[in-house]
Amino acid sequence: MVDLQRSKTVFLAGLATVALTMVGAPVAASAAPWTERTIVSLDLLPGGTTSRATAVNDHGVIVGYGDTASGENHAVRWSPDGRVTDLGTLPGSTLSYAYGINDHGDTVGYADTPAGERAVRWAPDGTITDLGTLPGGFNARAYGINDEGSVVGEVPIRSKTFHAVKWRPDGTVIDIGTKSSRSSTSPSAINNHDVAVGRTYSPGGGHYQEAVTWPAGADTFIMLPLLPDGGPRSTAMGVNEKGLIVGYAEVKPSTPQKNPVHATLWSPGASAPLDLGGLPGAGNFSAANDINAANDIVGSSATSTHGERDAVLWKWSSDGWLIESLPQLAGGHESEATAINDLGVVVGEAVSASGQRVAVRWQ
């Protein structure tokens, strides 16, 4: 069993290569936006109606997925000017999804074949490679890739139980999710220092999950501390090169049917994670999905309209953490920011005037 207090001490003492501590509660942005951003809808596949952008590299190349004319999702790549390319699937497969891209243009995700899901990598020229899985297994999914070519994902071990795995640049796959009292582990991202983040969780009994990190080169995880006085649920979604980790955590204990969560920042050198909060006057929900080298954070927040969520950007200033809604598509009413690159380009999805969810870029 993982000792939370010991893990917290180890994390705060030794995880990051820098001692960057950010303090102060989040504060609302002024009525006028403090960044001038526009939103652009990315091209759909021919005959398609929906899409989602999941990652963007520092050259402005975006990946994600979109539906085809026959209604099947395919992994796609958008050039910096928004043109879409269908990355295709494995032979015999009809579905594929892309979730990560590095600065070399290598993309990872998975394809759903007749025999099961396969973790895959697309080269910059579009060539698809099956990454394989653990010995004795078949299914696998890939979620993140760094510039060295290390890939993280998950593999089912048995029914409703998954282990986090890492594919080394040489193609070797190792199980990094073996030691968890929650039975399952799943990574979300990996940075260029080989630090990975994600969650450990139980598939039933309230769906408890806790944010974790794998230090560089480690094959076992460290649990990240929960919010002070918060509940037992948290998830880590993104990590930058400084070791700052973002995700979300339960604000207070509650029933499985109602567990309010807030965007959360785990900062090296801080005594506890920081609750980033949400939009002023909004419902009790926010989540952070990614953080860049400038420590800009993106995700989503509930709004003052019940049931709606807006893409948001958190930015550190001398006054503390500022939060701002990102623009909506004309006639749209909901959005989510999934990733941000080091140049500040943000991607995600937004609801169009016709009610379709489509991939977008904010810049």
Side-chain angles (χ1 to χ4, degrees):
M1 182 167 178
V2 179
D3 183 84
L4 179 58
Q5 185 58 45
R6 180 178 180 278
S7 297
K8 175 180 176 180
T9 302
V10 171
F11 167 70
L12 295 176
L15 170 62
T17 58
V18 295
L20 177 61
T21 304
M22 294 180 174
V23 296
V27 296
S30 60
W34 37 268
T35 56
E36 294 295 334
R37 289 182 178 266
T38 58
I39 184 172
V40 176
S41 179
L42 303 176
D43 285 351
L44 296 168
L45 289 174
T49 59
T50 65
S51 59
R52 178 178 172 88
T54 58
V56 56
N57 69 14
D58 287 341
H59 300 293
V61 181
I62 303 165
V63 296
Y65 51 89
D67 65 346
T68 65
S70 58
E72 298 161 333
N73 279 323
H74 279 194
V76 297
R77 180 176 61 219
W78 290 274
S79 63
D81 62 3
R83 289 178 291 113
V84 65
T85 298
D86 188 338
L87 291 176
T89 66
L90 288 171
S93 172
T94 57
L95 300 173
S96 61
Y97 301 83
Y99 286 101
I101 184 172
N102 65 18
D103 283 345
H104 302 299
D106 299 307
T107 301
V108 294
Y110 67 93
D112 190 4
T113 73
E117 295 169 342
R118 302 293 291 179
V120 296
R121 176 171 53 216
W122 289 271
D125 66 2
T127 303
I128 186 171
T129 301
D130 186 333
L131 292 174
T133 187
L134 293 173
F138 187 84
N139 294 350
R141 292 181 175 184
Y143 294 125
I145 182 171
N146 65 17
D147 289 344
E148 296 301 315
S150 292
V151 178
V152 291
E154 64 182 16
V155 168
I157 301 302
R158 54 186 177 274
S159 178
K160 298 182 179 180
T161 300
F162 293 80
H163 279 189
V165 296
K166 179 189 290 184
W167 289 270
R168 296 191 176 107
D170 65 3
T172 305
V173 58
I174 58 173
D175 190 336
I176 60 172
T178 58
K179 298 179 180 179
S180 174
S181 61
R182 295 287 186 202
S183 77
S184 289
T185 50
S186 180
S188 304
I190 183 170
N191 71 10
N192 287 331
H193 296 297
D194 211 41
V195 175
V197 299
R199 62 187 176 124
T200 181
Y201 64 98
S202 300
H207 300 288
Y208 290 102
Q209 57 186 25
E210 294 167 272
V212 301
T213 182
W214 288 265
D219 59 5
T220 57
F221 65 81
I222 294 172
M223 289 172 63
L224 299 176
L226 299 168
L227 286 173
D229 301 320
R233 299 174 180 85
S234 60
T235 293
M237 296 295 293
V239 57
N240 70 6
E241 306 308 331
K242 300 170 185 174
L244 290 166
I245 298 169
V246 295
Y248 53 88
E250 192 172 10
V251 180
K252 58 184 178 181
S254 58
T255 66
Q257 288 74 33
K258 185 178 181 181
N259 51 322
V261 297
H262 281 183
T264 302
L265 171 70
W266 289 270
S267 175
S271 60
L274 178 67
D275 181 346
L276 291 170
L279 291 170
N284 203 13
F285 169 86
S286 63
N289 291 325
D290 199 15
I291 180 170
N292 68 5
N295 307 324
D296 297 329
I297 300 168
V298 295
S300 63
S301 170
T303 73
S304 56
T305 301
H306 179 71
E308 289 188 5
R309 297 175 182 179
D310 276 5
V312 292
L313 171 69
W314 288 270
K315 193 176 186 69
W316 176 254
S317 76
S318 59
D319 296 323
W321 284 97
L322 302 177
I323 182 173
E324 178 191 23
S325 285
L326 296 174
Q328 301 282 3
L329 289 173
H333 59 82
E334 193 168 3
S335 57
E336 179 187 7
T338 57
I340 182 171
N341 70 10
D342 287 346
L343 299 180
V345 176
V346 181
V347 300
E349 71 172 22
V351 176
S352 67
S354 62
Q356 300 287 356
R357 293 184 176 273
V358 296
V360 295
R361 178 181 63 227
W362 291 271
Q363 59 186 28

